[in-house]
Amino acid sequence: MERTHGVTLYVIAKQDDGWKIVVGQNTAVEASSA
């Protein structure tokens, strides 16, 4: 059985009206067999 999960990465930047997410990425990662 294949086991994967997602790892999410956000890049945020401070703007005049607060912090905003400027880039988001979700990557599938296979679980190790150990």
Side-chain angles (χ1 to χ4, degrees):
M1 177 191 294
E2 211 175 294
R3 291 187 176 259
T4 60
H5 64 279
V7 174
T8 304
L9 170 71
Y10 293 115
V11 176
I12 60 174
K14 190 170 186 181
Q15 313 248 323
D16 291 338
D17 59 345
W19 290 91
K20 304 289 182 180
I21 298 172
V22 293
V23 176
Q25 177 179 329
N26 189 25
T27 303
V29 178
E30 292 184 26
S32 65
S33 59

